[in-house]
Amino acid sequence: MKLKGEIFELDIIIPTYNEKENISKLIDLIENILKDIKFKIVVVDDNSPDGTADIVESLNNKYDNILILRRPFKLGLASAIMAGIEKSKGDIIAVIDADLQHPPELLPQMLDKLIEGGELIVASRYAEGGGIEGWNTFRRVISKGAVKLAHLLLPSTRDVEDPISGYFMFRRNLIEGLEFEAVGYKFLTELLVKRPGVKKAEVPYIFKPRRIGKSKLGLNDYYKYALQCLKLARYKPLKFILVGISGILVNWGILHILVTLNIPIPLASPVAIEISILNNFIWNDIWTFRYKRSGRRLIRCLNFHGTTLVGALLNYITLLTLIRVGFSYMISNLIGIFLGFIANYLFSGIYVWRKI
Ligand code: GDD
Ligand code: MN
């Protein structure tokens, strides 16, 4: 197929599970919308009990560009997409749900954007002009929460408003050499993490209520998604918290030892704080953020000190103030550390490691 001087093959992957009422309508629509373009449709069906696969098979009398991949069990949406990609050969791949919640009318526009130099085009409910119809507040909050979680834990998803979209188009060379886990159902999220910096664009659309049938995604899928995000983030948030806790113990322990050795608190506390900062830096550097290191360790260490400065001062001032009003020094230090920790959390992870 040739469009705007580019020669390409387009494959459209449709994962299905119990979509007998929707699939022929969707395929008819796609065939009509893309009638001037040569493309293939790859339906990946997980042995739907309602006979979706047989319906697709019967469409072969009408169209000559439909492939059906039958899998023996319900193996999950992301893995169905993966299987579809492996089965297809096109250098441009689109993924769309079978239930008509993703309007196929968007395909030509997405293709245009890709040909114009994009590598990944995301159909987006959250980009300006997009939206969702017919969802109750609960589903809205859950979905928005899932987007926020991706943005928080996975920096390379931040410039995409809808990183959990199930409707997208990309160039095959994007995924060459990548290993996908394809767990859960958010294939796009994993792609955004494993290919940071791709040339991407979003096309807004309105996510309509399902016409027939019901969603197969439940709360359990959101739970799995949260775990997947944590895993894709290489457990950095958890590690960062653990390192923080170790720092609290170091600060507290050293202060206790120094005070027992009769060193005055205004002098002992800065030493305890400095050693805990070094403790946190070393663990974060060799463990939490080890994949993101670059440049000289000394520079990172100085940067880290910069970002913990506010926290350290807050710790110190709180300690001295609370002692003055009558608290024990250990309790005062604990509260000081806590306030300092919050300040640190806001600065350090963001500045020292994200920039490099
Ligand atoms: N082969 C296969 N195997 N297909 C599946 C499976 C499975 O285990 N589970 C779901 N599907 C198919 C459905 O038949 C449908 O075509 C598509 O995947 C989406 O499933 P829905 O159950 O309709 O999901 P949803 O509407 O709640 O959410 C969809 O839209 C969101 C917004 O774009 C998904 O695509 C989400 O990933 C997406 O965030
Ligand atoms: Mn749906």
Side-chain angles (χ1 to χ4, degrees), residues 3 43 48 59 75 80 85 101 114 152 176 179 186 205 225 240 246 265-266 305 311 325 341 348:
L3 204 71
V43 175
S48 298
L59 289 172
L75 294 167
I85 292 172
Q101 292 193 280
L114 206 74
L152 183 72
E176 260 156 33
E179 291 265 332
K186 305 300 187 193
Y205 79 98
Y225 164 76
F240 192 78
S246 83
I265 290 173
H305 273 77
V325 297
F341 181 74
S348 59

Side-chain angles (χ1 to χ4, degrees), residues 280-290 293 297 353:
N280 288 14
F281 172 74
I282 290 167
W283 285 114
N284 278 328
D285 207 55
I286 62 176
W287 191 46
T288 317
F289 297 105
R290 68 166 177 267
R293 287 184 317 211
R297 176 167 283 164
W353 284 279

Side-chain angles (χ1 to χ4, degrees), residues 22-218:
N22 295 317
I23 189 68
S24 4
K25 171 126 201 264
L26 175 69
I27 291 181
D28 282 343
L29 280 170
I30 296 178
E31 296 284 354
N32 187 38
I33 291 162
L34 297 181
K35 58 180 176 307
D36 302 326
I37 287 177
K38 201 164 162 280
F39 63 96
K40 256 202 242 52
I41 289 179
V42 181
V43 175
V44 186
D45 186 71
D46 280 2
N47 201 9
S48 298
D50 75 350
T52 303
D54 296 332
I55 293 186
V56 174
E57 202 90 57
S58 72
L59 289 172
N60 274 327
N61 301 325
K62 203 165 160 193
Y63 305 113
D64 62 356
N65 61 346
I66 302 174
L67 233 73
I68 169 106
L69 178 58
R70 294 172 184 256
R71 303 200 302 172
F73 318 103
K74 188 171 188 309
L75 294 167
L77 178 47
S79 92
I81 295 171
M82 202 54 233
I85 292 172
E86 275 162 18
K87 177 94 181 168
S88 70
K89 297 195 178 63
D91 29 33
I92 293 182
I93 296 166
V95 177
I96 182 170
D97 287 353
D99 56 3
L100 298 162
Q101 292 193 280
H102 295 158
E105 294 78 16
L106 225 58
L107 286 168
Q109 198 185 334
M110 291 164 81
L111 189 58
D112 270 353
K113 283 213 183 252
L114 206 74
I115 301 285
E116 279 162 16
E119 292 177 301
L120 168 64
I121 311 297
V122 178
S124 170
R125 297 161 296 170
Y126 296 118
E128 220 184 307
I132 294 167
E133 269 177 21
W135 270 11
N136 59 26
T137 315
F138 182 68
R139 251 209 102 166
R140 274 175 203 273
V141 169
I142 294 270
S143 171
K144 260 273 152 91
V147 171
K148 289 270 177 266
L149 189 70
H151 286 171
L152 183 72
L153 299 187
L154 310 167
S156 60
T157 67
R158 284 184 193 149
D159 52 357
V160 179
E161 307 277 354
D162 195 355
I164 57 172
S165 175
Y167 189 12
F168 47 94
M169 190 184 278
F170 60 96
R171 293 179 186 273
R172 177 184 289 275
N173 59 16
L174 261 194
I175 55 164
E176 260 156 33
L178 286 186
E179 291 265 332
F180 277 86
E181 296 175 22
V183 289
Y185 62 99
K186 305 300 187 193
F187 184 86
L188 177 65
T189 320
E190 193 173 348
L191 181 57
L192 288 168
V193 170
K194 298 202 163 151
R195 275 283 178 259
V198 292
K199 278 185 248 150
K200 48 195 170 235
E202 282 179 273
V203 176
Y205 79 98
I206 308 279
F207 191 74
K208 293 255 163 60
R210 229 180 205 273
R211 229 173 33 106
I212 304 173
K214 57 179 195 303
S215 166
K216 281 96 203 169
L217 308 177

Side-chain angles (χ1 to χ4, degrees), residues 2 19 193 238 241 292 336:
K2 192 169 175 179
E19 303 288 0
V193 170
L238 269 187
I241 289 170
K292 295 194 108 186

